[in-house]
Structures are given as structure tokens and as C-alpha cells.
Amino acid sequence: MRTSRRLRRTVAGLALACAGALAVPAVAAAEPTAPTVPAPASNPLLDAIAALEGTGSGDGTGSAEGTDPTDPVGDALDAARAVLGAAPTVDVAEPDGNPLALVDAANGLLQGFGLTPFFYPTAALNCSALPGVPFGVVPAVAGAAPGPYTPTIPGVGALPTLPNVDTSIADPGETLYAFVPAPGGIVNDAANKSGMQVAWFNVNTLKGGFADMGGLTDVISAEVIDGLPPLLQGPARDLVQRNLGAFPSAGVRLAPVATGSGTVLAAVFGQVTHDGKTCAFFPTVGLTQVP
């Protein structure tokens, strides 16, 4: 009898753990005397939220009250709360009794880009283009790499460097974020690549915000190819498109973000549209040390 296996991940618990979770007081029921209760450990994310709330910019609901909506303190507070509050429970069930097969494939693509995966996968329901997948689940993963980062094409390697040409898509002090659905789960990716977002918060600088993610080719073109000399843009674009066609890139999203140096927490979430379907992915959380 085959036993169904599931992946269950709670975002808030891991977000707090990576930031330095509060210690749980021990209770010794068998001891006749009261045990020594350790003081709670400091939680940098909660401390940062408290510090930002103390500035008077927050109204307790996530938006800055009585201030410009683009106020950086209000944006940082919103982003910190978004990372802290990203707390769904995600069940990922895949065919053939192997709940890790498609997640492993997605992580393989992510690591092929040279990015470090987030703490756990995410998923969208009623979305899969693969036959026989229970509940139409599409597993996905997210990851990040600190800048400077030069695009790496899975199975091909890093883009070739050119004299006096900057081929990086994340500069020093920036972080590149990526979202990768399981290969084959998404087809006919919509021309409009909007929908996926990154909420990021730097616990050292108390700065944060939200960034939209874009399609793989679009981001590489905007960050690298468009900055090349005109005579090189056409050949470079053809080279990138040929190489990207060598692996399943449907649904892949990227976003270079000016996070600054420090310990940066982030949550990736949002929607991908394909084959007439809108796939809503639960948040997944990661941490990046940016030099």
C-alpha cells in the first residue's frame, strides 16, 4: 500500500528562525521547585519592526498614515511585516508517490543559475499542465544571490565576459532574486510577465520594500544586452535566446534589487499566467548575506 507523502512548510516559523527566533521557556514538570526561565532571545526582525513603528510612520496596519505613500520608512515597515506575516501551510503532492521529484527538478534549475534556494518550496493549486498531478499542483522554488552577479545559463555556464563591458545583472550591494516553477508544470507562459513580487527587508539598515519580478529574457536584456554597444546587441540577444531554449524556462522570473549590504530577509509570492490559467503561488522565505 503506497503511503502518500506531503511537504508541509510554515513560512512564519522559518522566517523567525532565520532571523533569530524567540526562545521558548522550558517547563520542568517533575521538579518540585520552579525552573529557571531563560530570557527570550532578541529577534532582529521583530526588533526592526518595533524600531520602525517607534518613528511614528506606521499606523499599525502596514501603511504609513499621514505621509507620502512612497515614504521609505513606510515601505520598509510594510515589507518587514509582509515577510513576518507570510504564513500559509503549503501541501505539495506529486505523482508516482515521490513528493520531491518536481521540487528537486526546480531546485536543479535554480542552482544551475548559481542561486541559493530559499528555505522551502512553494506551490500553486489547480494550475499544472502535467497530466495526472493531484489537485493540479505546480511546485516551485525561489532563491537569491548577492551581487555582483553575472547571468549563468543552466547547462551552458556564465555569459562570456567582454572587455570594458559590464555583463552583471546585480551590482555590489544588490541581490538577484529568482522564481522557478517545476519544469513542465507551466506552458505557454503569457507575454505579460508581471505578477510575481519580492518583499525584502534588510535587518541591518532597517530598509526594505517591494520589487516586481520580470521574465528571464526580459530582465537579462534590460540589465545586460541593452547596455552593450549597438553592434553587439543583436548577436548577444540571439545567443541568449538560443541558450535559454535549451531548458524549460516557462514561468521563470528574475528581479535584481538594491537591498544594500547586510542580512536581507525576503518573501517571494504572486501569480503566473499561462495557457489561460492564473496560478497563485504561496509565499516562500529566504535569507541572503549581502557583502
Side-chain angles (χ1 to χ4, degrees):
M1 179 177 180
R2 186 175 65 182
T3 302
S4 174
R5 301 172 59 192
R6 294 179 177 177
L7 300 180
R8 293 183 177 272
R9 300 291 187 271
T10 302
V11 176
L14 287 176
L16 293 178
C18 70
L22 297 174
V24 178
V27 178
E31 294 293 333
T33 58
T36 300
V37 179
S42 176
N43 184 312
L45 183 57
L46 293 179
D47 291 346
I49 291 174
L52 290 172
E53 289 174 338
T55 65
S57 292
D59 64 358
T61 62
S63 297
E65 182 178 22
T67 63
D68 189 306
T70 61
D71 170 45
V73 175
D75 287 346
L77 187 54
D78 285 350
R81 288 170 174 165
V83 174
L84 181 65
T89 297
V90 180
D91 290 344
V92 179
E94 283 123 35
D96 302 325
N98 183 0
L100 294 178
L102 297 181
V103 173
D104 286 345
N107 267 324
L109 285 178
L110 186 71
Q111 292 168 335
F113 284 112
L115 280 74
T116 301
F118 278 11
F119 297 124
Y120 43 85
T122 180
L125 303 177
N126 301 317
C127 180
S128 180
L130 297 172
V133 177
F135 308 111
V137 171
V138 173
V141 295
Y149 175 88
T150 298
T152 299
I153 308 301
V156 177
L159 291 181
T161 58
L162 299 172
N164 302 319
V165 174
D166 182 9
T167 58
S168 64
I169 58 176
D171 296 327
E174 295 184 338
T175 306
L176 178 69
Y177 293 101
F179 169 80
V180 179
I186 288 179
V187 298
N188 301 325
D189 197 4
N192 183 355
K193 308 297 185 184
S194 64
M196 294 300 299
Q197 281 191 308
V198 179
W200 64 274
F201 184 76
N202 188 321
V203 299
N204 296 110
T205 64
L206 304 188
K207 294 181 179 180
F210 297 83
D212 294 328
M213 307 187 82
L216 180 65
T217 304
D218 296 338
V219 172
I220 292 179
S221 294
E223 299 294 330
V224 179
I225 297 176
D226 291 351
L228 295 176
L231 290 178
L232 296 179
Q233 290 183 11
R237 189 169 285 107
D238 291 341
L239 175 65
V240 169
Q241 290 176 346
R242 284 199 307 271
N243 289 331
L244 293 180
F247 72 99
S249 60
V252 175
R253 302 289 188 263
L254 296 178
V257 180
T259 57
S261 300
T263 300
V264 183
L265 283 163
V268 169
F269 56 92
Q271 298 177 342
V272 171
T273 301
H274 80 110
D275 204 24
K277 299 178 181 179
T278 298
C279 307
F281 286 89
F282 296 104
T284 177
V285 174
L287 179 149
T288 307
Q289 296 289 349
V290 184

